[in-house]
Amino acid sequence: MPFYPVNLQIAGKPCVVIGGGAVAERKVNALLKAGAVVTVISPQMTVALSRLAQMQHIKHVDRPYRQGDLAGFFLVICATDHSSVNRAAAQEADGRGLLLNVVDDPELGNFSVPAQVTRGDLLLTVSTAGKSPALAKLLRQDLAARYGDEYGLYLELIAKIRADLKNVLATSKDREQFWRESIDEEVIILLRQGKINEAEAKIRNAVGSVGS
């Protein structure tokens, strides 16, 4: 069954990861990067997760998952290697109407986490619906090689210039057309070379020439 793609805003949301191994560590780091308030339920954790708990970046419940543990959470990630735990968590999460991802058995949950490349506010994702993680990884690597940090810098420039453009072009349709015509390889090359001021000047010149 095809997925419905969506980007979640989870900053400040209570999220829980069940499990404390290497996979759980990756999931925790991704949640923290998105601003989530993270709890880990596991009798054991990796050194990195233990350090995060000691620094109070995450909360650690030092025991196995129990029925009722999911009360009050917005999102659940089950990263254990125990199928009975996964099924129990999935049943509770479903009953509470929570978002649930089961790492090694996506069909038990109601969402999956795609392979992703981030460049500032630019987010590129790849999903194979769990059918081929290897292909998803390969495509993610291709995207990472193709789209470097310059694309994130480009988005930052757009944010700075957008207010000026609204004063020149009144309608969103006109502004969309402007950006479509202004995204060119020269600006990207300048950003790739670290010439941020020159790239910004080029875009501002384009804004200034509108209607002239």
Side-chain angles (χ1 to χ4, degrees):
M1 179 180 296
F3 287 109
Y4 177 74
V6 61
N7 292 332
L8 289 176
Q9 172 57 265
I10 61 171
K13 297 288 188 180
C15 300
V16 60
V17 176
I18 304 171
V23 174
E25 180 183 318
R26 292 198 298 271
K27 301 301 182 181
V28 167
N29 286 332
L31 290 171
L32 290 175
K33 187 176 181 180
V37 178
V38 181
T39 296
V40 173
I41 301 175
S42 178
Q44 297 178 328
M45 294 198 302
T46 65
V47 172
L49 286 176
S50 296
R51 188 177 300 115
L52 288 173
Q54 291 170 2
M55 298 172 65
Q56 298 186 339
H57 293 321
I58 63 173
K59 178 183 177 181
H60 179 210
V61 178
D62 189 9
R63 57 168 173 75
Y65 159 81
R66 297 174 185 167
Q67 186 72 20
D69 278 346
L70 304 187
F73 287 106
F74 174 75
L75 180 150
V76 182
I77 294 180
C78 196
T80 78
D81 55 2
H82 300 288
S83 59
S84 59
V85 173
N86 296 343
R87 287 194 299 270
Q91 184 175 10
E92 180 180 352
D94 182 63
R96 295 183 183 275
L98 305 180
L99 292 170
L100 171 70
N101 171 245
V102 180
V103 175
D104 63 352
D105 194 350
E107 292 187 0
L108 284 178
N110 52 29
F111 81 94
S112 66
V113 180
Q116 56 189 270
V117 174
T118 56
R119 299 290 185 257
D121 286 333
L122 177 65
L123 174 63
L124 306 172
T125 63
V126 177
S127 173
T128 61
K131 292 182 174 62
S132 179
L135 177 59
K137 180 179 180 180
L138 176 63
L139 293 175
R140 182 192 63 79
Q141 292 172 340
D142 287 345
L143 288 172
R146 171 64 179 84
Y147 297 98
D149 292 335
E150 61 272 14
Y151 287 88
L153 292 173
Y154 182 81
L155 286 181
E156 293 179 14
L157 290 183
I158 288 178
K160 290 174 62 176
I161 296 170
R162 181 172 293 167
D164 293 340
L165 188 62
K166 286 183 178 180
N167 294 329
V168 179
L169 297 174
T171 70
S172 59
K173 182 178 180 180
D174 289 339
R175 292 192 293 273
E176 180 182 351
Q177 180 66 25
F178 170 82
W179 287 121
R180 188 181 299 115
E181 295 174 353
S182 297
I183 299 176
D184 61 26
E185 191 64 22
E186 184 176 348
V187 172
I188 297 299
I189 290 174
L190 288 172
L191 291 171
R192 188 176 296 140
Q193 295 173 343
K195 300 177 180 179
I196 299 174
N197 292 336
E198 294 181 32
E200 181 175 350
K202 180 176 175 60
I203 298 176
R204 288 192 181 277
N205 286 338
V207 174
S209 67
V210 172
S212 63

